[in-house]
Amino acid sequence: MGYKFLKHTGDIKIRVNEKNIELAFISSAFALSQIITDKTKINSKISKKIKVSGNDMSSLLYNFLEEFLFLLDAKGFILSEIINFKIDKKKFLIICEVLGDKSKNYKFTNDVKAITYHEMKIEQKNNYSVIEFVLDV
Amino acid sequence: MGIKKISEFEWEIPKQGKMKVPGRIFASEKLLKDIQRDKTLEQVKNVACLPGIIGSSMAMMDSHQGYGFPIGGVAAFDLDSGVISPGGVGYDINCSVRLLRTNLTLKDIEKKKKEVIQKLFQQVPSGVGEEGRIKLSKQELDEVLKLGAKWAVDKGYGKKNDLTNTEEGGCMKDANPNYVSQRAKSRGIPQLGSLGAGNHFLEIQMVDSVYDEKMAKEFGLEKGMITIMIHCGSRGLGHQVASDYIKLMEKEYGFPEEDRELVNAPINSELGKKYFSAMSCAANFAFANKQLITHWVRETMKSIFSNFSAEVVYDICHNIAKKEKHTIDGKEKDILVMRKGATRAFDKQPVIIPGSMGSASYVLVGTKKAEEISFSSTAHGAGRVESRTQANKELSPEKIIEQLNKKGIDIVSGSRKGIVEEAPEVYKDIDEVVRTSDKLGIAKLVAKVIPLAVMKG
C-alpha cells in the first residue's frame, strides 16, 4: 500500500499501489507533494474545493495532479490533506476538498516542473489499483 | 537495437518500421554506452516517425531519456508538411543559460566569496513557490510576453548591449499573449524575477583555461577573469503553456500510440501556429527573467565592488522551436528546428555548456560543420546519467558540501536536501561531452570556466 519512487534517469517515476482507485489518486497527489516538501509537515490552515475533469482516466490523473502545481505557483498553496474525495469514472470528473498552508511559510528547493503522460499507467491488478507516472523535475 | 557506426563520433539507427528518416547519434563510444542505459534510442526512433521530418532524428552527446523527444533531441521539419510538438520543446520552455563576464579577477573576489554569494542569495529570489521581486499587472505581464528581455531593458533593468548578445535579441517576435491561457498567466505573474528551483542555479566562476585565444578575445574572455552564469527558464508559465497545448492538440488530432507526449499539430494549422506563438511568449518570459536577474546581480556586485561592471557574453536557449534557414539538398530553405536540451551552434556564435554543480563549464563556438551535419546544434550540458531517486539513497548533502568546500567552492541553497539531486555524481562527464563536440567539430572549445561559489535554486 502507498507509493514508491522508481529509478528513472533525469525525471522521477512513481508507482502507487492502493485498494481502490480513490485511494490511488489521493496517494498519487501525496507522492507529488512529497517530492516538493521532502517530508516536512505541512499544516492544514487553508481549505479549498477543487473540481477537475478529463477525457479519459489518464488525462483525469494528469489534470488532477497538475492542479496542485497550479495551486502552488499561482496561489502559493501547499497540500497537507485531501478530504471528501469523489471520482466519477464514467464522466471522468473529480470533486474534493484540499487542506494545506501558504508555501511561503516553508522553504523548498525541489521543484516539479510538470506532470507527464510518459509511461503513465492506471490499472486494476487483482484487488489493487496500480498507478504509475513520471514527473518532469 | 541495431546501431551502425558511421565515424568515431557518429552513429546511425537505420530506417525501419514507421520511421520516415534514420536516427543519428553524436557521441563517443563512452557516451554512447551511457545513452544506451535508458530509452533514449527508442525515443529517437519515435521522433523519426513524425510527419514532415527532414534529414534524421538526432540525439546530441549528452542525451538521456525524456518524454516525447529525448533530452538532447534535435529534429527539423518542413514548414508545409511538418508538425510541431510541445514534447519537442519540453515543459521548461526556453530553459537557458546566460554568461556574464566581469571586470574582476580572482584576487578581487577570493576573500569576499562567501559575502558575495550570500548577498546574491538575498537579492535574487529562488526556491519553490518563491515570489519574484517584481509585482506585475495583467497588462504588464502581456508586455513582458510580447517583448521579452527588451521589456526589462526598456524599464531600466539593463542595457541595449545585453540584448545584442542574447539569442533572438531576447525577444521572439511571433509572441502573441492572447494565445497564453489565464491559468498560465496566473502561474507566471508572481514568478517573474525569480531563479526557480531544481537544476537552476547562479554561479560565480573564473576563466581557468583558454583553448582558442582568438575566439576568446572576440568573446571578451581571458584567463583569470571572473564570470557569472545564470541558468533558469520560464517557470510555471512555460510549464503550463506546454501542458495546455498538449491537451488542445490531443483533442484536435489525437496522439501517437508510441508516446502520448509526442502529440503534435501541423506547423501550418491554426493550433500549430498558436502553440508556436504561445511558446514564443514563454520564451520571452524566460529572457525577461534572466535580464532582471542580471540587473540584480550587477546591483548587488556594485554594492560590494564599487567599480563593478559586467557584460553579457551570450545568452543561449536550451528548450525551444525556431524557424531558421538551412541548406537542404543544396538549397537554402526555411525550416522548423526543435531543440530539446540542445543548443544552437551557428557559425561563430558563442555556445555555453554548463557543467553540473561544482564541475567546470565551457564556452565553445559554433561552426560551419554544425550547419552541415546537426542543423546547427550541439549539446546543452552534462546530461543526467543517474536517477534522482537513486542519488537520494546513495549520497548525503553534508558529504557533497564537504567535497565542494574541499575544492574551494562555496554553496548556498534554500535546503540541503536539494543539493543531493544536483550532485556531480548524477551527471555525465562534462569534459567528455565537450571534447566530443570539439572533435566532431559541431562546436569548438574556446574556454573553460570553473566554479568558485554556487547558489542553487
Side-chain angles (χ1 to χ4, degrees):
Chain A
M1 279 328 110
Y3 54 81
K4 61 178 179 185
F5 301 109
L6 309 176
K7 267 182 99 162
H8 192 276
T9 335
D11 300 321
I12 290 179
K13 186 168 185 176
I14 291 157
R15 182 187 291 146
V16 174
N17 210 333
E18 291 286 0
K19 266 188 189 152
N20 55 45
I21 192 75
E22 284 82 2
L23 288 172
F25 266 65
I26 292 171
S27 249
S28 299
F30 283 124
L32 164 66
S33 200
Q34 201 213 298
I35 289 168
I36 298 165
T37 62
D38 190 23
K39 293 179 186 157
T40 308
K41 192 185 163 352
I42 307 296
N43 297 316
S44 298
K45 283 187 180 163
I46 310 163
S47 140
K48 287 177 190 291
K49 285 208 168 84
I50 61 172
K51 192 174 165 183
V52 181
S53 62
N55 317 314
D56 52 30
M57 286 305 273
S58 294
S59 66
L60 184 59
L61 177 68
Y62 184 107
N63 294 347
F64 175 62
L65 295 175
E66 189 189 84
E67 189 65 22
F68 295 99
L69 299 183
F70 171 75
L71 288 173
L72 178 59
D73 283 353
K75 314 280 178 202
F77 172 88
I78 187 93
L79 175 73
S80 72
E81 286 178 69
I82 299 177
I83 55 173
N84 301 325
F85 182 91
K86 288 191 187 69
I87 182 167
D88 185 330
K89 286 179 271 182
K90 290 203 180 85
K91 288 183 187 150
F92 307 116
L93 197 70
I94 287 172
I95 297 173
C96 68
E97 209 176 321
V98 294
L99 305 177
D101 199 354
K102 283 263 170 220
S103 60
K104 64 175 175 206
N105 295 335
Y106 307 84
K107 188 84 194 166
F108 304 127
T109 60
N110 288 348
D111 201 9
V112 174
K113 288 177 180 163
I115 318 301
T116 78
Y117 281 117
H118 186 67
E119 297 177 11
M120 187 185 276
K121 267 188 211 159
I122 303 175
E123 288 174 345
Q124 199 61 34
K125 269 190 189 160
N126 302 320
N127 290 323
Y128 294 102
S129 286
V130 178
I131 291 182
E132 282 182 13
F133 59 97
V134 174
L135 298 171
D136 183 10
V137 292
Chain B
M1 186 179 307
I3 185 158
K4 218 167 78 188
K5 187 166 183 171
I6 303 290
S7 72
E8 196 183 349
F9 302 109
E10 290 171 279
W11 311 80
E12 186 183 274
I13 306 172
K15 214 169 111 175
Q16 55 198 279
K18 288 193 282 178
M19 288 169 78
K20 293 187 168 62
V21 294
R24 177 65 54 121
I25 323 297
F26 299 109
S28 62
E29 206 152 342
K30 181 173 173 235
L31 290 169
L32 184 71
K33 277 198 186 119
D34 282 340
I35 291 172
Q36 284 174 314
R37 278 160 68 170
D38 60 26
K39 292 177 187 156
T40 309
L41 299 185
E42 209 172 290
Q43 295 185 328
V44 169
K45 271 174 78 176
N46 291 343
V47 173
C49 301
L50 292 173
I53 183 165
I54 301 171
S56 54
S57 162
M58 296 173 185
M60 299 299 129
M61 35 288 222
D62 55 341
S63 288
H64 63 83
Q65 179 178 342
Y67 32 85
F69 277 48
I71 313 297
V74 173
F77 292 84
D78 185 278
L79 290 183
D80 297 319
S81 62
V83 292
I84 184 164
S85 169
V89 172
Y91 283 96
D92 198 2
I93 297 168
N94 199 8
C95 181
S96 42
V97 176
R98 177 178 272 203
L99 184 71
L100 307 174
R101 61 169 195 266
T102 75
N103 59 345
L104 302 179
T105 58
L106 182 63
K107 72 173 189 322
D108 298 318
I109 206 168
E110 212 167 14
K111 294 204 175 91
K112 291 184 175 168
K113 250 177 16 176
K114 271 206 171 75
E115 180 195 351
V116 166
I117 202 74
Q118 285 294 349
K119 265 208 168 144
L120 287 169
F121 188 61
Q122 285 159 13
Q123 296 303 316
V124 179
S126 70
V128 173
E130 194 64 34
E131 296 187 356
R133 274 175 61 177
I134 284 200
K135 297 282 167 277
L136 290 177
S137 68
K138 280 185 177 170
Q139 288 77 8
E140 281 171 316
L141 180 69
D142 281 358
E143 290 300 302
V144 172
L145 300 184
K146 247 189 269 174
L147 299 172
K150 192 174 173 307
W151 173 86
V153 170
D154 288 348
K155 292 270 169 194
Y157 298 100
K159 32 190 191 182
K160 287 250 152 54
N161 248 353
D162 297 346
L163 303 178
T164 323
N165 296 325
T166 298
E167 198 168 323
E168 298 298 315
C171 173
M172 297 274 287
K173 57 183 187 310
D174 288 300
N176 181 344
N178 293 334
Y179 299 141
V180 177
S181 71
Q182 281 313 316
R183 199 175 162 83
K185 287 178 186 174
S186 55
R187 282 177 77 170
I189 277 191
Q191 292 186 329
L192 188 72
S194 64
L195 189 66
N199 59 345
H200 297 142
F201 65 81
L202 195 158
E203 202 168 77
I204 311 281
Q205 314 161 321
M206 181 186 70
V207 179
D208 175 70
S209 320
V210 168
Y211 307 102
D212 180 338
E213 288 287 350
K214 190 169 156 263
M215 284 323 296
K217 205 168 174 195
E218 193 110 330
F219 298 163
L221 296 170
E222 57 187 72
K223 196 173 166 170
M225 176 186 270
I226 298 298
T227 58
I228 297 172
M229 188 177 274
I230 305 163
H231 179 207
C232 71
S234 51
R235 313 282 277 105
L237 183 132
H239 311 164
Q240 192 66 44
V241 164
S243 126
D244 286 343
Y245 279 88
I246 286 173
K247 285 173 209 168
L248 291 168
M249 287 182 186
E250 202 174 279
K251 215 167 159 189
E252 184 97 18
Y253 299 102
F255 53 85
E257 57 180 284
E258 297 86 30
D259 189 345
R260 198 165 178 167
E261 294 281 337
L262 267 185
V263 60
N264 57 75
I267 297 168
N268 267 337
S269 64
E270 199 185 327
L271 195 52
K273 284 180 193 157
K274 279 186 182 169
Y275 169 68
F276 187 76
S277 179
M279 179 213 71
S280 300
C281 287
N284 287 346
F285 184 91
F287 283 135
N289 204 24
K290 269 178 297 158
Q291 187 60 46
L292 290 169
I293 293 173
T294 302
H295 176 75
W296 294 322
V297 166
R298 283 179 175 141
E299 217 177 55
T300 309
M301 295 299 280
K302 265 195 189 136
S303 75
I304 306 169
F305 307 96
S306 55
N307 67 339
F308 179 84
S309 75
E311 303 297 326
V312 178
V313 175
Y314 206 67
D315 184 336
I316 199 158
C317 310
H318 286 172
N319 289 358
I320 205 144
K322 289 282 196 63
K323 286 176 183 159
E324 292 171 0
K325 272 192 203 317
H326 287 267
T327 306
I328 313 289
D329 300 328
K331 273 187 218 147
E332 196 171 75
K333 202 178 163 183
D334 284 307
I335 55 171
L336 182 84
V337 183
M338 283 187 246
R339 296 190 184 92
K340 181 182 188 178
T343 51
R344 196 180 70 178
F346 280 170
D347 191 25
K348 305 269 189 308
Q349 172 214 301
V351 169
I352 296 153
I353 304 189
S356 56
M357 185 175 69
S359 70
S361 297
Y362 291 88
V363 180
L364 294 85
V365 59
T367 63
K368 279 235 156 45
K369 179 143 188 219
E371 282 172 21
E372 287 155 20
I373 70 167
S374 64
F375 294 113
S376 300
S377 313
T378 189
H380 83 306
R384 284 182 173 266
V385 68
E386 181 166 8
S387 84
R388 298 178 193 210
T389 327
Q390 198 66 17
N392 273 322
K393 276 185 199 149
E394 292 167 0
L395 306 164
S396 81
E398 290 72 25
K399 211 167 161 199
I400 294 161
I401 293 169
E402 193 193 307
Q403 274 172 12
L404 291 174
N405 289 345
K406 255 190 199 156
K407 285 199 236 167
I409 304 165
D410 290 303
I411 174 159
V412 288
S413 174
S415 94
R416 303 181 78 120
K417 183 79 186 267
I419 291 172
V420 171
E421 307 198 350
E422 299 307 318
E425 285 86 344
V426 182
Y427 285 87
K428 288 195 180 80
D429 179 0
I430 181 79
D431 298 345
E432 178 79 3
V433 167
V434 296
R435 207 159 38 228
T436 303
S437 173
D438 182 77
K439 283 190 181 155
L440 178 61
I442 54 178
K444 303 290 285 176
L445 277 165
V446 175
K448 175 184 185 175
V449 295
I450 56 168
L452 301 174
V454 189
M455 162 179 163
K456 193 201 151 302

